[in-house]
């Protein structure tokens, strides 16, 4: 061990876990570059990673074909009562789930090293930061945690002898018998996978998967599912939101926090390059925001993460040039195509496809191959500090003051380009009824429309109805200092399937209108579903877009919205009596507004 651990609770937990999981060795991570290099070298030697000749210090991994995304169907919120987890979460009683998982954990690390990763979510010197310790038998997870969190000896120092931490236990669930050769990506079959949360104890147990949010436990498991529970208890917010700073030509700063479901463009928006002259943007975070009311009564946000775990396919110099520049070095790629000259490639990269490569399943691949070369949920892991537009304040311990909340999803129809909420309660209603087509970020059907409240459907660690109430309570506390709330949909299509809106950098035109609304200088039209700009209220200078498209993007289709009502009611009915009365009222009001005229 490279350091002394004075925290007896931690020492004891590591000891007990080693006794249960029976690893060949226990290794305490120090978080250094040498440690990272060493682990990568071992994984290259073992055949589970490929070093990329074309990108300095970059590595490619290929997962097992069964282990390519989060597994919502195997994700559990294990509270004493089923109602405390609520209708949107899978639930098994803690004793039963622990019994099942303890059996799986018994001897599960045989033949492997057990790594102990002390990590901080949030800059270590931030009063909002929280410490976790992940135990894992995956060196791939260790290297990813190096990038995604502040990890290692410095966290042990911050923890001290009696500091609090969230224990996060992870195993790929693939013990090795003596002499048994390892595979490139060990994992367990689906029916043995469990991504479990015990909110009463602030405890995370994950078994059987090595991929993304299933395995990098600081991210969705801690910074969202467990953190939502802590946030409600302690009066703050843990949200699935990017954070960005927009700067007007006059130099005024606006901070925007936006919630979209996984693989709906949060990373792209977080690194937006505004197309409107004079406007600039800086990135603070691309996935998670922790927010607390500051001494001045405003809401302050930090990014608890230190890296980006972004979707590779579709990322290009057109869609997200800043991400492309972020991943030139020191990045990890998972499930991308390996080109013959030692680079990565994916569909929608904007670069010509290689004439030959190795696909994410390790097979020869050519542009004519029947299947995509990269998995649709292929990912890059890269340090946030490498982003060319990372804000100089991205690690500011106190966070940045949020002016604007944005909700949204991916929907070909119905939801217009942008809507502003009438007031906080209506904004909470917009968040609570957000809907989106499902993506490859979860194992399951892609393209199905579902309600994804606040983009938190897979990430809320308690009853979602109580989470709605928490949003209402936060609004009451924030009062006139509350951020304005908007709903956007960049993904409208024509009946023939063409995009109505160009998106990406052009989204700055919509953001500009939001800022002008905050400043009280832009008009808005009152409609039954909220406040909308007219085409003249949006800065469309220099944008080549058909007037018909704009009209369609800003049209409120009353009949289509009336047809939405039964689904909204069904969605809310799932929560029974627990649904806040103030949201029930919002449904009635919307129905009345739609009914009129
Ligand atoms: O795999 S992750 O959960 O980290 C990515 C996502 O779904 O947002
Ligand atoms: Mn996410």
């Amino acid at each position: 061990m490279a350091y002394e651990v004075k925290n007896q609770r931690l020492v004891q937990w590591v000891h007990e876990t080693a006794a249960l999981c029976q690893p060949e060795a226990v290794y305490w991570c120090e978080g250094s570059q040498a440690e990272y290099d060493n682990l990568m070298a071992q994984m290259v030697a073992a055949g589970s990673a490929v070093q990329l000749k074309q990108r300095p210090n970059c590595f490619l991994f290929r997962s097992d074909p069964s282990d390519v995304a989060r597994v919502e169907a195997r994700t559990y919120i294990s509270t004493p009562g089923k109602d405390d987890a609520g209708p949107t979460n899978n639930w098994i009683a803690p004793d039963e789930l622990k019994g099942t998982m303890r059996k799986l954990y018994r001897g599960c690390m045989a033949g492997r090293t057990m790594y102990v990763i002390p990590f901080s979510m949030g800059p270590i010197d931030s009063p909002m930061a929280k410490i976790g310790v992940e135990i894992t038998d995956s060196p791939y997870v260790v290297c990813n945690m190096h990038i995604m969190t502040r990890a290692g000896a410095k966290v042990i120092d911050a923890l001290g002898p009696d500091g609090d931490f969230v224990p996060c236990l992870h195993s790929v669930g693939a013990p090795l018998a003596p002499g048994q050769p390892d595979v490139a990506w060990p994992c367990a079959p689906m029916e043995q996978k469990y991504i479990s949360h015990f909110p009463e104890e602030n405890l995370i147990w994950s078994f059987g998967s090595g991929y993304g949010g299933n395995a990098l436990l600081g991210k969705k498991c801690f910074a969202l599912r467990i953190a939502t529970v802590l946030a409600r208890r302690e009066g703050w917010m843990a949200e699935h939101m990017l954070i960005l700073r927009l700067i007007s030509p006059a130099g005024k700063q606006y901070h925007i926090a936006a919630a979209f479901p996984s693989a709906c463009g949060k990373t792209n928006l977080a690194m937006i390059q505004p197309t409107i002259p004079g406007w600039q943007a800086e990135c603070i975070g691309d996935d998670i925001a922790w927010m607390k009311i500051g001494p001045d009564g405003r809401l302050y946000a930090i990014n608890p993460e230190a890296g980006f775990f972004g979707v590779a396919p579709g990322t290009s110099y057109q869609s997200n040039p800043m991400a492309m520049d972020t991943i030139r070095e020191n990045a990890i790629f998972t499930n991308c195509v390996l080109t013959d000259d030692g680079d990565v490639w994916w569909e929608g990269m904007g670069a010509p496809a290689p004439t030959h490569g190795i696909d994410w399943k390790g097979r020869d691949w050519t542009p004519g191959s029947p299947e995509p070369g990269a998995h649709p949920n292929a990912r890059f892991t890269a340090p946030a500090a490498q982003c060319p537009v990372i804000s100089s304040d991205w690690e500011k311990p106190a966070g940045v003051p949020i002016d604007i909340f944005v909700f949204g999803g991916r929907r070909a129809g119905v939801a217009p380009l942008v809507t502003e909420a009438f007031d906080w309660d209506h904004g909470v209603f917009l968040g609570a009824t957000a809907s989106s087509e499902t993506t490859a970020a979860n194992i399951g059907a892609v393209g199905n429309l579902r309600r994804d409240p606040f983009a938190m459907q897979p990430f809320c660690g308690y009853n979602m109805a109580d989470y709605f109430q928490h949003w209402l309570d936060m609004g009451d506390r924030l009062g006139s200092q509350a951020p304005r709330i908007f709903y956007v949909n960049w993904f409208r299509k024509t009946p023939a399937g063409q995009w109505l809106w160009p998106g990406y950098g052009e989204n700055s035109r919509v953001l500009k209108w939001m800022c002008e609304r905050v400043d009280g200088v832009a008009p808005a039209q009152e409609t039954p579903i909220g406040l909308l700009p007219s085409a003249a209220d949006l800065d469309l200078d220099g944008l080549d877009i058909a007037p018909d498209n704009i009209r369609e993007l800003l049209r409120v289709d009353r009949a289509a919205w009336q047809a939405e009502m039964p689904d909204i009611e069904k969605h809310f009915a799932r929560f029974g009596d627990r649904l806040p009365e103030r949201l029930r009222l919002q449904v009635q009001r919307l129905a009345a507004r739609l009914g009129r005229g």
Side-chain angles (χ1 to χ4, degrees):
M1 199 186 307
Y3 44 77
E4 194 193 342
V5 182
K6 299 208 179 91
N7 192 296
Q8 283 316 306
R9 185 179 152 231
L10 174 55
V11 171
Q12 188 172 341
W13 177 59
V14 170
H15 199 76
E16 282 166 9
T17 306
L20 176 63
C21 300
Q22 297 283 310
E24 196 173 273
V26 177
Y27 177 90
W28 290 75
C29 297
E30 58 183 50
S32 65
Q33 186 65 43
E35 175 177 277
Y36 183 94
D37 295 345
N38 223 337
L39 287 172
M40 278 297 183
Q42 284 175 33
M43 288 187 279
V44 170
S48 60
V50 178
Q51 177 145 24
L52 299 174
K53 292 199 196 81
Q54 305 295 333
R55 289 176 199 247
N57 194 32
C58 285
F59 298 85
L60 171 69
F61 290 79
R62 290 183 207 106
S63 79
D64 187 90
S66 70
D67 197 28
V68 293
R70 281 184 294 102
V71 281
E72 289 174 19
R74 308 290 309 169
T75 299
Y76 296 89
I77 300 298
S78 184
T79 40
K82 190 174 190 315
D83 249 15
D84 297 322
T88 59
N89 285 309
N90 299 311
W91 178 86
I92 298 176
D95 282 352
E96 184 189 340
L97 185 53
K98 281 189 173 170
T100 305
M101 290 191 74
R102 221 176 260 120
K103 279 195 203 112
L104 292 168
Y105 279 130
R106 197 162 293 143
C108 72
M109 295 186 186
R112 301 189 184 280
T113 297
M114 180 177 114
Y115 301 93
V116 183
I117 318 166
F119 64 93
S120 173
M121 296 315 286
I124 296 179
D125 58 346
S126 170
M128 293 172 73
K130 297 209 179 268
I131 291 175
V133 179
E134 177 159 353
I135 289 180
T136 180
D137 52 6
S138 162
Y140 167 85
V141 165
V142 177
C143 289
N144 275 273
M145 289 293 284
H146 265 238
I147 297 176
M148 294 305 297
T149 70
R150 285 101 180 156
K154 52 189 187 273
V155 179
I156 290 292
D157 289 343
L159 183 63
D162 27 49
D164 201 9
F165 66 95
V166 173
C168 309
L169 174 55
H170 172 251
S171 172
V172 294
L176 293 168
Q180 183 187 342
D182 203 359
V183 294
W185 184 281
C187 61
M190 190 58 84
E191 65 279 6
Q192 286 178 17
K193 286 184 180 32
Y194 287 92
I195 318 299
S196 304
H197 308 73
F198 304 93
E200 308 285 304
E201 298 170 74
N202 297 339
L203 176 68
I204 299 164
W205 278 10
S206 168
F207 187 91
S209 167
Y211 206 91
N214 298 335
L216 313 178
L217 302 186
K219 198 173 180 54
K220 309 298 183 178
C221 298
F222 180 173
L224 287 176
R225 297 193 192 97
I226 292 295
T228 48
V229 177
L230 297 172
R232 177 174 173 236
R233 208 181 285 152
E234 298 165 5
W236 51 283
M237 305 171 93
E239 300 297 331
H240 192 205
M241 288 179 171
L242 66 91
I243 310 166
L244 84 93
R245 167 184 291 171
L246 207 60
I247 308 166
S248 76
K252 184 166 179 197
Q253 296 184 353
Y254 304 84
H255 293 99
I256 301 178
F260 307 116
S262 302
C264 287
K266 276 197 305 299
T267 305
N268 294 343
L269 186 61
M271 299 177 194
I272 190 171
Q273 295 285 92
T275 50
I276 331 171
W279 287 76
Q280 286 171 281
E282 296 175 356
C283 174
I284 291 159
D286 84 326
D287 196 39
I288 299 175
W290 282 1
M291 293 171 287
K292 200 173 184 171
I293 299 177
D296 60 357
R298 299 181 71 189
L299 191 64
Y300 284 80
I302 64 161
N303 170 9
E305 301 190 280
F308 307 122
F309 184 67
V311 180
T315 304
S316 69
Y317 273 100
Q318 196 229 328
S319 66
N320 194 340
M322 295 302 112
M324 292 298 278
D325 283 346
T326 304
I327 58 180
R328 290 160 89 117
E329 54 187 8
N330 311 314
I332 298 171
F333 296 90
T334 309
N335 287 346
C336 302
V337 174
L338 176 66
T339 66
D340 292 347
D341 63 351
D343 201 356
V344 278
W345 184 86
W346 48 77
E347 282 72 18
M349 193 191 208
T355 49
H356 173 267
I358 305 294
D359 75 0
W360 71 276
K361 288 183 177 167
R363 306 169 302 190
D364 285 312
W365 184 87
T366 54
S369 296
E371 289 173 38
H375 186 276
N377 193 40
R379 296 272 172 165
F380 55 76
T381 320
Q386 285 183 191
C387 179
V389 289
I390 197 78
S391 171
S392 55
D393 283 336
W394 84 280
E395 299 191 278
K396 199 174 169 180
V400 296
I402 298 301
D403 301 288
I404 291 169
F405 276 138
V406 182
F407 303 124
R410 180 188 284 275
R411 271 196 85 166
V414 186
L417 179 63
V418 59
T419 313
E420 182 186 343
F422 295 120
D423 52 30
W424 184 266
D425 279 23
H426 182 233
V428 173
F429 173 76
L430 294 183
T433 53
S435 55
S436 191
E437 290 149 20
T438 52
T439 69
N442 170 45
I443 290 187
V446 170
N448 286 352
L449 192 68
R450 73 165 177 184
R451 297 281 156 192
D452 189 347
F454 296 83
M456 287 289 280
Q457 151 87 29
F459 306 123
C460 185
Y462 58 100
N463 191 310
M464 183 73 83
D466 300 346
Y467 166 88
F468 296 160
Q469 185 61 52
H470 183 54
W471 264 85
L472 294 168
D473 294 343
M474 289 300 291
D476 292 344
R477 284 176 57 202
L478 285 160
S480 63
Q481 308 258 53
R484 291 270 192 123
I485 302 180
F486 297 84
Y487 192 98
V488 302
N489 178 16
W490 316 131
F491 299 95
R492 285 294 296 273
K493 285 184 178 171
T494 64
Q498 247 114 35
W499 298 116
L500 281 171
W501 177 248
Y504 308 122
E506 305 296 1
N507 292 336
S508 57
R509 299 172 188 279
V510 176
L511 302 184
K512 180 184 171 189
W513 179 73
M514 294 177 186
C515 295
E516 290 171 347
R517 289 293 300 159
V518 168
D519 288 342
V521 297
Q525 275 62 48
E526 199 166 317
T527 81
I529 62 163
L531 301 163
L532 267 78
S534 68
D537 304 330
L538 289 178
D539 181 346
L540 300 175
D541 260 12
L543 179 66
D544 186 18
I545 186 168
D548 274 357
N549 280 17
I550 291 290
R551 213 168 301 128
E552 185 57 26
L553 284 161
L554 299 177
R555 187 167 73 94
V556 177
D557 183 341
R558 201 176 277 251
W561 279 98
Q562 275 163 343
E564 285 280 295
M565 294 307 293
D567 190 65
I568 290 176
E569 279 159 13
K570 192 172 123 211
H571 164 58
F572 275 172
R574 295 179 75 192
F575 303 104
D577 289 348
R578 222 144 157 159
L579 185 80
E581 196 48 43
R582 282 156 72 178
L583 288 184
R584 227 184 289 278
L585 202 61
Q586 288 294 324
V587 182
Q588 287 165 17
R589 289 197 180 148
L590 174 59
R593 289 192 304 264
L594 287 168
R596 272 197 244 131

